[in-house]
Amino acid sequence: MSDLYVSWSEYNRKIEQLAVKVYQSGWDFNQIVCIAKGGLRVGDLLCRLYKKPLAIVAASSYTGPENRVRGEIRFAQHLTMTSEKLGSRVLLVDDLADSGVSLQECVKWLQQYYGQEIEEIRTGVLWCKACSILIPDYYVDYLPDNPWIHQPFERYEDLTLAELAAQHEGLASASEGDRV
């Protein structure tokens, strides 16, 4: 298993490519649900592009050193949304289908708690690994060698606030020097 390093510009381009794939499919959905935390950025950009409401389901399954140990998936008790009810045709998005368990279990969770409102759920991700038990309806890249994906926001997981403050202090000093 190799590692795949993704820059912010590549990450945003992948979200745009996912948006185009869904658009080209012609599917008329009326709700986006993203799985937090990995799918937050994907859901945010898609709801802006499609002008569709966004709902968020918080889920967690990774723990341990560098957040690389897959454990039992846990869901929040409620879906977060600003509309009174969930749409009937749901596009469920996440950043990747690694094991596929998060997507599979989230579909079950949505059907259990919102099944009376949902007619159809389709799934979309940026990356689909070969080891995934669920192949999403939409994905940008299929990864046959199952690499560990290093996403651009991961740096914040190991960065302390003291380190961040020190970085910004150096930036603030440089900015103040520009004004003198």
Side-chain angles (χ1 to χ4, degrees), residues 10-75:
E10 291 169 308
Y11 186 83
N12 288 327
R13 191 169 40 258
K14 296 288 179 203
I15 297 172
E16 291 171 359
Q17 289 173 316
L18 179 62
V20 168
K21 283 187 176 256
V22 174
Y23 170 77
Q24 289 175 337
S25 78
W27 186 49
D28 184 26
F29 62 94
N30 57 14
Q31 178 76 57
I32 297 169
V33 175
C34 68
I35 302 175
K37 63 189 175 188
L40 281 171
R41 290 165 187 85
V42 179
D44 175 52
L45 289 181
L46 290 179
C47 85
R48 292 171 190 272
L49 287 165
Y50 278 99
K51 315 309 187 253
K52 302 287 185 189
L54 177 66
I56 302 165
V57 60
S60 176
S61 63
Y62 282 90
T63 62
E66 297 182 19
N67 249 357
R68 287 188 179 208
V69 179
R70 198 178 304 137
E72 183 178 338
I73 190 163
R74 294 177 310 279
F75 288 99

Coordinates of all heavy atoms in Angstrom, one line a residue, residues 10-75:
E10 N -5.8 20.2 -5.7 CA -6.2 18.9 -6.2 C -7.5 18.4 -5.5 O -8.4 17.9 -6.2 CB -5.1 17.8 -5.9 CG -3.9 17.9 -6.8 CD -2.8 17.0 -6.3 OE1 -2.4 17.0 -5.1 OE2 -2.2 16.3 -7.1
Y11 N -7.6 18.7 -4.2 CA -8.7 18.3 -3.4 C -10.0 19.0 -4.0 O -11.0 18.4 -4.2 CB -8.5 18.6 -2.0 CG -9.6 18.2 -1.0 CD1 -9.6 16.9 -0.6 CD2 -10.6 19.0 -0.6 CE1 -10.6 16.4 0.3 CE2 -11.6 18.6 0.2 CZ -11.6 17.3 0.7 OH -12.6 16.9 1.5
N12 N -9.9 20.3 -4.2 CA -11.0 21.1 -4.7 C -11.4 20.6 -6.1 O -12.6 20.6 -6.5 CB -10.7 22.6 -4.6 CG -10.8 23.1 -3.2 OD1 -11.5 22.6 -2.4 ND2 -9.9 24.1 -2.9
R13 N -10.4 20.3 -6.9 CA -10.6 19.9 -8.3 C -11.4 18.5 -8.3 O -12.3 18.3 -9.1 CB -9.3 19.8 -9.1 CG -9.5 19.5 -10.5 CD -8.2 19.7 -11.4 NE -7.0 19.1 -10.8 CZ -6.0 19.9 -10.2 NH1 -6.2 21.2 -10.1 NH2 -5.0 19.3 -9.7
K14 N -11.0 17.7 -7.3 CA -11.7 16.4 -7.2 C -13.2 16.6 -6.9 O -14.1 15.9 -7.4 CB -11.1 15.5 -6.1 CG -9.7 15.0 -6.4 CD -9.6 14.0 -7.5 CE -8.2 13.6 -7.8 NZ -8.0 13.1 -9.2
I15 N -13.5 17.5 -6.0 CA -14.9 17.8 -5.6 C -15.6 18.4 -6.9 O -16.8 18.0 -7.1 CB -15.0 18.9 -4.5 CG1 -14.4 18.3 -3.2 CG2 -16.4 19.3 -4.2 CD1 -14.2 19.2 -2.0
E16 N -15.0 19.2 -7.6 CA -15.6 19.7 -8.9 C -15.9 18.6 -9.8 O -16.9 18.5 -10.5 CB -14.7 20.8 -9.5 CG -14.6 22.1 -8.7 CD -13.6 23.0 -9.2 OE1 -12.9 22.7 -10.2 OE2 -13.5 24.1 -8.6
Q17 N -14.9 17.6 -9.9 CA -15.1 16.5 -10.8 C -16.3 15.6 -10.4 O -17.0 15.1 -11.2 CB -13.8 15.7 -10.9 CG -12.7 16.4 -11.7 CD -11.4 15.6 -11.6 OE1 -11.0 15.1 -10.5 NE2 -10.7 15.5 -12.7
L18 N -16.4 15.5 -9.1 CA -17.6 14.7 -8.5 C -18.9 15.4 -8.9 O -19.8 14.8 -9.3 CB -17.4 14.5 -7.0 CG -18.6 13.8 -6.4 CD1 -18.7 12.3 -6.9 CD2 -18.4 13.8 -4.8
A19 N -18.9 16.7 -8.7 CA -20.1 17.5 -9.1 C -20.4 17.3 -10.6 O -21.6 17.1 -10.9 CB -19.8 19.0 -8.8
V20 N -19.5 17.3 -11.4 CA -19.7 17.1 -12.9 C -20.2 15.7 -13.2 O -21.1 15.5 -14.0 CB -18.4 17.4 -13.7 CG1 -18.5 17.0 -15.1 CG2 -18.1 18.9 -13.6
K21 N -19.7 14.7 -12.5 CA -20.1 13.3 -12.7 C -21.6 13.2 -12.3 O -22.4 12.6 -13.1 CB -19.3 12.3 -11.9 CG -17.9 12.0 -12.5 CD -17.2 10.9 -11.8 CE -15.9 10.6 -12.5 NZ -16.0 9.4 -13.2
V22 N -22.0 13.8 -11.2 CA -23.4 13.7 -10.8 C -24.2 14.4 -11.8 O -25.3 14.0 -12.2 CB -23.6 14.2 -9.3 CG1 -25.0 14.3 -9.0 CG2 -22.8 13.4 -8.3
Y23 N -23.8 15.6 -12.2 CA -24.5 16.4 -13.2 C -24.7 15.7 -14.5 O -25.8 15.6 -15.0 CB -23.8 17.7 -13.4 CG -24.3 18.6 -14.5 CD1 -25.5 19.3 -14.4 CD2 -23.6 18.6 -15.8 CE1 -26.0 20.1 -15.5 CE2 -24.1 19.3 -16.8 CZ -25.3 20.1 -16.7 OH -25.8 20.8 -17.7
Q24 N -23.7 15.1 -15.0 CA -23.7 14.4 -16.2 C -24.6 13.1 -16.2 O -25.1 12.7 -17.2 CB -22.3 14.0 -16.7 CG -21.6 15.2 -17.2 CD -20.1 14.9 -17.6 OE1 -19.5 13.9 -17.1 NE2 -19.5 15.8 -18.4
S25 N -24.8 12.6 -15.0 CA -25.7 11.4 -14.8 C -27.2 11.8 -15.0 O -28.0 10.9 -15.3 CB -25.5 10.8 -13.4 OG -26.2 11.5 -12.4
G26 N -27.5 13.1 -14.8 CA -28.9 13.6 -15.0 C -29.8 13.3 -13.8 O -31.0 13.5 -13.9
W27 N -29.2 12.8 -12.7 CA -30.0 12.4 -11.6 C -30.5 13.7 -10.9 O -29.7 14.6 -10.6 CB -29.3 11.5 -10.6 CG -30.1 11.1 -9.4 CD1 -31.3 10.5 -9.5 CD2 -29.8 11.1 -8.1 NE1 -31.8 10.2 -8.3 CE2 -30.8 10.5 -7.3 CE3 -28.7 11.6 -7.3 CZ2 -30.9 10.4 -6.0 CZ3 -28.7 11.5 -6.0 CH2 -29.8 10.9 -5.3
D28 N -31.8 13.8 -10.6 CA -32.4 14.9 -10.0 C -32.6 14.7 -8.5 O -33.6 14.1 -8.1 CB -33.7 15.2 -10.7 CG -34.4 16.5 -10.1 OD1 -33.7 17.4 -9.6 OD2 -35.6 16.6 -10.2
F29 N -31.6 15.0 -7.7 CA -31.7 14.9 -6.2 C -32.2 16.2 -5.6 O -32.1 17.2 -6.2 CB -30.4 14.4 -5.6 CG -29.3 15.3 -5.8 CD1 -29.0 16.2 -4.8 CD2 -28.5 15.3 -7.0 CE1 -27.9 17.1 -5.0 CE2 -27.4 16.2 -7.1 CZ -27.2 17.1 -6.1
N30 N -32.7 16.1 -4.4 CA -33.2 17.3 -3.7 C -32.6 17.5 -2.3 O -33.0 18.4 -1.6 CB -34.7 17.4 -3.7 CG -35.3 16.2 -3.0 OD1 -34.6 15.4 -2.3 ND2 -36.6 16.0 -3.2
Q31 N -31.6 16.7 -2.0 CA -31.0 16.8 -0.7 C -29.6 16.3 -0.7 O -29.3 15.2 -1.3 CB -31.8 16.0 0.4 CG -31.2 16.0 1.8 CD -31.5 17.3 2.5 OE1 -32.6 17.7 2.7 NE2 -30.4 18.0 2.9
I32 N -28.6 17.0 -0.1 CA -27.3 16.4 0.1 C -27.1 16.2 1.6 O -27.5 17.0 2.4 CB -26.2 17.5 -0.4 CG1 -26.4 17.7 -1.9 CG2 -24.8 17.0 -0.1 CD1 -25.5 18.9 -2.4
V33 N -26.6 15.0 1.9 CA -26.2 14.6 3.2 C -24.7 14.3 3.2 O -24.3 13.5 2.4 CB -27.0 13.4 3.8 CG1 -26.5 13.0 5.2 CG2 -28.5 13.7 3.8
C34 N -24.0 14.9 4.1 CA -22.5 14.6 4.1 C -22.2 13.9 5.4 O -22.9 14.2 6.5 CB -21.7 15.9 3.9 SG -21.8 17.1 5.3
I35 N -21.2 13.1 5.4 CA -20.8 12.4 6.6 C -19.6 13.1 7.1 O -18.6 13.3 6.5 CB -20.3 10.9 6.2 CG1 -21.5 10.1 5.6 CG2 -19.9 10.2 7.5 CD1 -21.1 8.7 5.1
A36 N -19.8 13.6 8.3 CA -18.7 14.4 9.0 C -17.8 13.5 9.8 O -18.3 12.5 10.4 CB -19.4 15.5 9.9
K37 N -16.6 13.7 9.7 CA -16.0 15.0 9.3 C -15.4 15.0 7.9 O -15.3 16.0 7.3 CB -15.1 15.5 10.4 CG -13.8 14.7 10.6 CD -13.0 15.2 11.8 CE -11.9 14.2 12.0 NZ -11.2 14.4 13.2
G38 N -15.1 13.8 7.4 CA -14.4 13.8 6.1 C -15.2 14.3 4.9 O -14.7 14.9 4.0
G39 N -16.5 14.2 5.0 CA -17.4 14.6 3.9 C -17.9 16.1 4.0 O -18.6 16.5 3.1
L40 N -17.5 16.8 5.1 CA -18.0 18.2 5.2 C -17.6 19.1 4.1 O -18.5 19.8 3.6 CB -17.4 18.8 6.6 CG -18.1 18.3 7.8 CD1 -17.4 18.8 9.1 CD2 -19.6 18.8 7.9
R41 N -16.4 19.1 3.7 CA -16.0 20.0 2.6 C -16.6 19.6 1.3 O -17.0 20.4 0.5 CB -14.4 20.0 2.5 CG -13.8 20.7 3.7 CD -12.3 20.3 3.7 NE -11.7 20.9 5.0 CZ -11.7 20.2 6.1 NH1 -12.3 19.1 6.2 NH2 -11.1 20.8 7.2
V42 N -16.7 18.3 1.1 CA -17.4 17.8 -0.1 C -18.8 18.3 -0.2 O -19.3 18.8 -1.1 CB -17.3 16.3 -0.2 CG1 -18.0 15.8 -1.5 CG2 -15.9 15.8 -0.2
G43 N -19.6 18.0 0.9 CA -21.0 18.5 1.0 C -21.1 20.0 0.9 O -22.0 20.4 0.2
D44 N -20.2 20.7 1.5 CA -20.3 22.2 1.5 C -20.2 22.7 0.1 O -21.0 23.5 -0.4 CB -19.2 22.8 2.4 CG -19.2 24.3 2.3 OD1 -20.2 25.0 2.4 OD2 -18.1 24.8 2.0
L45 N -19.2 22.2 -0.7 CA -19.0 22.7 -2.0 C -20.1 22.2 -3.0 O -20.6 23.0 -3.8 CB -17.7 22.3 -2.6 CG -16.5 23.0 -2.0 CD1 -15.2 22.6 -2.6 CD2 -16.6 24.5 -2.1
L46 N -20.6 21.0 -2.8 CA -21.7 20.5 -3.6 C -23.0 21.3 -3.4 O -23.7 21.6 -4.3 CB -21.9 19.0 -3.4 CG -20.8 18.1 -4.0 CD1 -21.1 16.6 -3.7 CD2 -20.5 18.3 -5.4
C47 N -23.3 21.6 -2.1 CA -24.5 22.3 -1.9 C -24.5 23.7 -2.4 O -25.5 24.3 -2.9 CB -24.9 22.3 -0.4 SG -24.2 23.5 0.6
R48 N -23.3 24.3 -2.5 CA -23.1 25.6 -3.1 C -23.3 25.6 -4.6 O -23.9 26.4 -5.2 CB -21.8 26.2 -2.7 CG -21.6 26.6 -1.2 CD -20.2 26.9 -0.9 NE -20.0 27.0 0.5 CZ -20.2 28.2 1.2 NH1 -20.6 29.3 0.6 NH2 -20.0 28.2 2.5
L49 N -22.7 24.5 -5.2 CA -22.8 24.4 -6.7 C -24.2 24.0 -7.1 O -24.7 24.6 -8.1 CB -21.8 23.3 -7.1 CG -20.3 23.7 -7.1 CD1 -19.5 22.4 -7.3 CD2 -20.0 24.7 -8.2
Y50 N -24.8 23.1 -6.4 CA -26.2 22.6 -6.8 C -27.3 23.5 -6.2 O -28.4 23.3 -6.6 CB -26.3 21.2 -6.4 CG -25.7 20.2 -7.3 CD1 -24.5 19.7 -7.1 CD2 -26.4 19.9 -8.5 CE1 -23.9 18.8 -8.0 CE2 -25.8 19.0 -9.4 CZ -24.6 18.4 -9.2 OH -24.0 17.6 -10.1
K51 N -27.0 24.3 -5.2 CA -28.1 25.1 -4.6 C -29.1 24.2 -3.9 O -30.3 24.4 -4.0 CB -28.8 26.1 -5.5 CG -27.9 26.9 -6.5 CD -26.8 27.7 -5.9 CE -26.2 28.7 -6.9 NZ -24.9 28.2 -7.4
K52 N -28.6 23.1 -3.3 CA -29.5 22.2 -2.6 C -29.2 22.2 -1.1 O -28.1 22.5 -0.7 CB -29.2 20.7 -3.1 CG -29.4 20.5 -4.6 CD -30.9 20.5 -5.0 CE -31.0 20.2 -6.5 NZ -32.3 20.4 -7.0
P53 N -30.2 21.9 -0.3 CA -30.0 21.9 1.1 C -29.0 20.8 1.6 O -28.9 19.7 1.0 CB -31.3 21.6 1.7 CG -32.1 21.0 0.7 CD -31.6 21.5 -0.6
L54 N -28.2 21.2 2.6 CA -27.2 20.3 3.1 C -27.6 19.8 4.5 O -28.0 20.6 5.4 CB -25.8 21.0 3.2 CG -24.7 20.2 3.9 CD1 -24.3 19.0 3.0 CD2 -23.5 21.1 4.1
A55 N -27.5 18.5 4.8 CA -27.7 18.0 6.1 C -26.4 17.2 6.5 O -25.6 16.8 5.6 CB -28.8 17.0 6.1
I56 N -26.1 17.2 7.7 CA -24.9 16.6 8.2 C -25.1 15.5 9.2 O -25.9 15.6 10.1 CB -24.0 17.7 8.9 CG1 -23.7 18.8 7.9 CG2 -22.7 17.1 9.4 CD1 -23.2 20.1 8.6
V57 N -24.5 14.3 9.0 CA -24.6 13.2 10.0 C -23.1 13.0 10.4 O -22.2 12.9 9.6 CB -25.2 11.9 9.4 CG1 -24.4 11.4 8.2 CG2 -25.3 10.9 10.5
A58 N -22.9 13.1 11.7 CA -21.6 13.0 12.3 C -21.4 11.5 12.6 O -22.2 10.8 13.1 CB -21.5 13.8 13.6
A59 N -20.2 11.0 12.1 CA -19.8 9.6 12.3 C -18.4 9.5 12.6 O -17.6 10.4 12.2 CB -20.1 8.8 11.1
S60 N -18.0 8.5 13.4 CA -16.6 8.4 13.7 C -16.3 6.9 13.8 O -17.0 6.1 14.3 CB -16.3 9.0 15.1 OG -15.0 8.7 15.5
S61 N -15.1 6.5 13.1 CA -14.7 5.1 13.2 C -13.2 5.0 13.3 O -12.7 3.9 13.6 CB -15.2 4.4 12.0 OG -14.6 4.9 10.8
Y62 N -12.4 6.0 13.1 CA -11.0 5.9 13.1 C -10.4 6.5 14.5 O -10.9 7.5 14.9 CB -10.3 6.7 12.0 CG -10.4 6.0 10.7 CD1 -11.5 6.1 9.8 CD2 -9.4 5.1 10.3 CE1 -11.5 5.4 8.6 CE2 -9.4 4.4 9.1 CZ -10.5 4.5 8.3 OH -10.6 3.8 7.1
T63 N -9.5 5.7 15.0 CA -8.8 6.1 16.3 C -7.4 5.8 16.2 O -6.9 5.4 15.1 CB -9.5 5.4 17.5 OG1 -9.3 4.0 17.3 CG2 -10.9 5.7 17.6
G64 N -6.7 5.8 17.3 CA -5.3 5.3 17.4 C -4.3 6.3 16.8 O -4.6 7.4 16.4
P65 N -3.1 5.8 16.7 CA -1.9 6.6 16.1 C -2.3 7.1 14.7 O -2.7 6.3 13.9 CB -0.8 5.6 16.1 CG -1.1 4.5 17.0 CD -2.6 4.4 17.0
E66 N -2.1 8.4 14.6 CA -2.3 9.1 13.3 C -3.7 8.8 12.8 O -4.0 8.9 11.6 CB -1.3 8.7 12.3 CG 0.1 9.1 12.7 CD 1.2 8.8 11.6 OE1 0.8 8.6 10.5 OE2 2.3 8.7 12.0
N67 N -4.7 8.5 13.6 CA -6.1 8.2 13.2 C -6.2 7.1 12.1 O -7.0 7.2 11.2 CB -6.7 9.5 12.7 CG -7.8 9.9 13.7 OD1 -8.1 9.3 14.6 ND2 -8.4 11.1 13.3
R68 N -5.3 6.1 12.2 CA -5.3 5.1 11.2 C -5.9 3.7 11.6 O -5.8 2.8 10.8 CB -3.8 4.8 10.7 CG -3.3 6.0 9.9 CD -2.0 5.6 9.3 NE -1.4 6.6 8.5 CZ -0.6 6.4 7.4 NH1 -0.2 5.2 7.2 NH2 -0.1 7.4 6.7
V69 N -6.4 3.6 12.8 CA -7.0 2.4 13.3 C -8.5 2.4 13.1 O -9.2 3.3 13.7 CB -6.6 2.1 14.8 CG1 -7.2 0.8 15.2 CG2 -5.1 2.1 14.9
R70 N -9.0 1.6 12.3 CA -10.4 1.5 12.0 C -11.1 0.7 13.1 O -10.8 -0.4 13.4 CB -10.7 0.9 10.6 CG -12.0 1.2 10.1 CD -12.2 0.5 8.7 NE -11.2 0.9 7.8 CZ -10.6 0.1 6.9 NH1 -10.9 -1.2 6.9 NH2 -9.7 0.5 6.1
G71 N -12.1 1.4 13.7 CA -12.8 0.7 14.8 C -14.3 0.7 14.4 O -14.7 0.8 13.3
E72 N -15.1 0.5 15.5 CA -16.6 0.4 15.3 C -17.1 1.8 14.9 O -16.7 2.8 15.5 CB -17.2 -0.1 16.6 CG -18.7 -0.3 16.4 CD -19.4 -0.8 17.7 OE1 -18.6 -1.5 18.5 OE2 -20.6 -0.6 17.9
I73 N -18.0 1.9 14.0 CA -18.5 3.2 13.6 C -19.6 3.6 14.6 O -20.4 2.8 15.1 CB -19.1 3.1 12.2 CG1 -19.4 4.5 11.7 CG2 -20.3 2.2 12.0 CD1 -19.6 4.7 10.2
R74 N -19.6 4.9 14.9 CA -20.5 5.5 15.8 C -21.2 6.7 15.1 O -20.5 7.5 14.5 CB -19.9 6.0 17.1 CG -19.3 4.9 17.9 CD -18.6 5.4 19.2 NE -17.6 6.4 19.0 CZ -16.3 6.2 18.5 NH1 -15.9 5.0 18.3 NH2 -15.5 7.2 18.4
F75 N -22.5 6.8 15.2 CA -23.2 7.9 14.6 C -23.8 8.8 15.7 O -24.1 8.4 16.8 CB -24.4 7.4 13.8 CG -24.0 6.7 12.5 CD1 -23.9 5.3 12.5 CD2 -23.6 7.4 11.4 CE1 -23.5 4.7 11.3 CE2 -23.2 6.8 10.2 CZ -23.2 5.4 10.2

